[in-house]
Amino acid sequence: MRTIFGFKLSSITLRKFRFMRVLYLSNSNLEHFRNEVSHLIHLRYITFQDCYNVLLPFSIGQLLNLQSVNSINTDLPFIPTSLWNIATLRHARFWPVKEWSPVKTKKQKELQTLSISVPHAGKVQKYIWSHTQKSLMDMTQLTSLMLFGDNIPVDILTNLSGHQNLVKLYLGWLSGQNEFLRINLFPPNLRTLVLRIRSPLQEDVLLILAKLRSLGQLFLAIPEYEGPSLASPPGGFRQLQRLVLASISVEKLRFEAGTMPNLTNLSFYKCKRMASLPVPDGLLNLPSVTELILEGMENKLIKENCEELEKKGCKLIINDN
């Protein structure tokens, strides 16, 4: 038996499957998994999805052929330090995990995917972020990086600017000084960028991020934004197809002519204090928009300003809950 897919298992015994390569378990009780993992020395792929009673033992470091480990919607108490000793590891996803040890760069220079989320964006010890920041400098093969927790230092961006292969970046919640938002800090070939920022920024983030030429999807959440306006400049965001602005309060939001020519999906989420969306001319400067989503906006004026887009065939979705 080389591959096992298990669903809704009350228990599982794996010792007799020592030649197994792929293990996928969903909605299952994995209470005894920690006692058997060391026997699966040929295992290359592990996924736990919606499982419970999961504990990764220190012996997981003996799986020297392991290439991908994924814990999705599965409460994991910690990531054992031995995992980062596996030189063959290419993909590591833990959503969520309560604690983890810093990634060991000497063994993980070939890592391509790193995703770590703390439940409810909880607190993470400062030394973890500090060591993670140093490790990222040498992990130049990363294509996807997701870090979700409280008070991620913005300095973490300084060690990513040279990552030519990084195309997906999810960071939240970032905290730090305003000057961190410089375009030369971002990986140059990003296609998807999710930024949740907990800092009283005053800089216009759209003017800065508009220079990322390959960006196709952008999600911004900045509850403490203090700038008076946001403006997407002419010629900016030429590849952008989806834009989500969440919890951002500004008096003016402008889409200049020639900006975002390929944008099809535009969403506003809980931007409650916005006086209005851009004037209709600003919205009509977006030639490709086919869907506009307003969620938790609580502003009648916003709805009225969208009538012209509806006339152009844009689908309007409003959810005031």
Side-chain angles (χ1 to χ4, degrees):
M1 182 78 71
R2 302 295 178 91
T3 301
I4 290 181
F5 288 86
F7 302 88
K8 298 183 179 181
L9 302 177
S10 58
S11 63
I12 185 170
T13 300
L14 299 170
R15 292 194 179 195
K16 61 182 178 180
F17 303 116
R18 63 190 187 95
F19 293 107
M20 183 168 52
R21 303 290 198 274
V22 176
L23 176 63
Y24 180 96
L25 299 172
S26 175
N27 196 22
S28 298
N29 181 7
L30 303 183
E31 183 177 1
H32 302 296
F33 176 79
R34 60 182 178 271
N35 300 322
E36 304 187 6
V37 64
S38 61
H39 301 279
L40 308 176
I41 59 174
H42 299 286
L43 200 59
R44 287 168 169 75
Y45 179 94
I46 302 174
T47 290
F48 306 132
Q49 184 159 357
D50 300 305
C51 292
Y52 50 97
N53 294 329
V54 182
L55 183 66
L56 293 181
F58 189 82
S59 59
I60 196 172
Q62 299 176 26
L63 306 185
L64 299 182
N65 295 300
L66 190 63
Q67 298 176 10
S68 180
V69 55
N70 309 282
S71 178
I72 303 169
N73 294 331
T74 297
D75 289 328
L76 198 64
F78 63 89
I79 303 173
T81 57
S82 60
L83 179 72
W84 307 125
N85 290 325
I86 304 176
T88 57
L89 195 64
R90 296 294 180 268
H91 308 281
R93 303 177 181 91
F94 300 97
W95 288 72
V97 62
K98 294 180 180 178
E99 297 181 11
W100 79 92
S101 56
V103 180
K104 295 181 180 179
T105 309
K106 291 182 180 180
K107 294 286 187 177
Q108 296 305 324
K109 291 185 178 181
E110 301 299 318
L111 196 67
Q112 298 173 18
T113 302
L114 178 62
S115 300
I116 298 177
S117 172
V118 179
H120 313 296
K123 292 185 178 181
V124 178
Q125 296 184 46
K126 289 184 179 181
Y127 85 93
I128 294 290
W129 289 136
S130 177
H131 284 281
T132 300
Q133 177 184 340
K134 294 176 183 178
S135 298
L136 287 173
M137 182 177 293
D138 295 321
M139 296 166 62
T140 57
Q141 299 305 308
L142 280 174
T143 61
S144 177
L145 174 64
M146 304 181 186
L147 298 175
F148 190 61
D150 190 45
N151 292 325
I152 299 176
V154 296
D155 292 341
I156 214 163
L157 281 170
T158 62
N159 290 352
L160 297 176
S161 58
H163 286 47
Q164 300 288 329
N165 298 313
L166 192 59
V167 295
K168 294 182 179 180
L169 179 61
Y170 298 67
L171 295 175
W173 289 85
L174 285 168
S175 62
Q177 301 299 316
N178 288 354
E179 57 265 21
F180 87 91
L181 269 178
R182 300 193 304 272
I183 191 61
N184 62 327
L185 295 182
F186 288 90
N189 299 314
L190 284 179
R191 298 175 191 169
T192 299
L193 176 61
V194 175
L195 288 178
R196 292 179 169 92
I197 303 170
R198 189 169 286 141
S199 180
L201 294 179
Q202 296 181 350
E203 298 174 272
D204 189 331
V205 291
L206 290 184
L207 286 176
I208 297 168
L209 298 177
K211 300 174 185 177
L212 291 172
R213 297 181 178 181
S214 300
L215 201 60
Q217 298 186 73
L218 175 61
F219 177 101
L220 285 175
I222 317 176
E224 299 177 22
Y225 185 71
E226 295 181 348
S229 65
L230 289 172
S232 184
F237 296 108
R238 299 201 63 83
Q239 302 300 322
L240 196 67
Q241 298 179 14
R242 184 170 184 241
L243 172 63
V244 180
L245 298 178
S247 303
I248 300 177
S249 296
V250 292
E251 297 177 0
K252 294 181 180 180
L253 174 60
R254 301 191 311 275
F255 296 103
E256 304 288 358
T259 194
M260 302 184 185
N262 294 301
L263 188 73
T264 58
N265 297 84
L266 175 61
S267 301
F268 296 88
Y269 178 72
K270 290 188 176 180
C271 300
K272 294 183 179 181
R273 289 184 292 175
M274 277 188 180
S276 68
L277 281 181
V279 295
D281 287 343
L283 282 173
L284 294 177
N285 284 334
L286 304 175
S288 303
V289 173
T290 58
E291 184 176 79
L292 176 62
I293 300 175
L294 308 174
E295 187 167 352
M297 298 294 288
E298 300 179 359
N299 194 322
K300 295 181 179 179
L301 184 58
I302 290 176
K303 303 172 188 177
E304 295 169 0
N305 283 346
C306 297
E307 292 179 358
E308 291 298 320
L309 274 179
E310 287 188 298
K311 291 178 182 178
K312 288 183 59 177
C314 177
K315 182 180 180 182
L316 179 61
I317 301 173
I318 300 175
N319 183 359
D320 288 332
N321 296 329

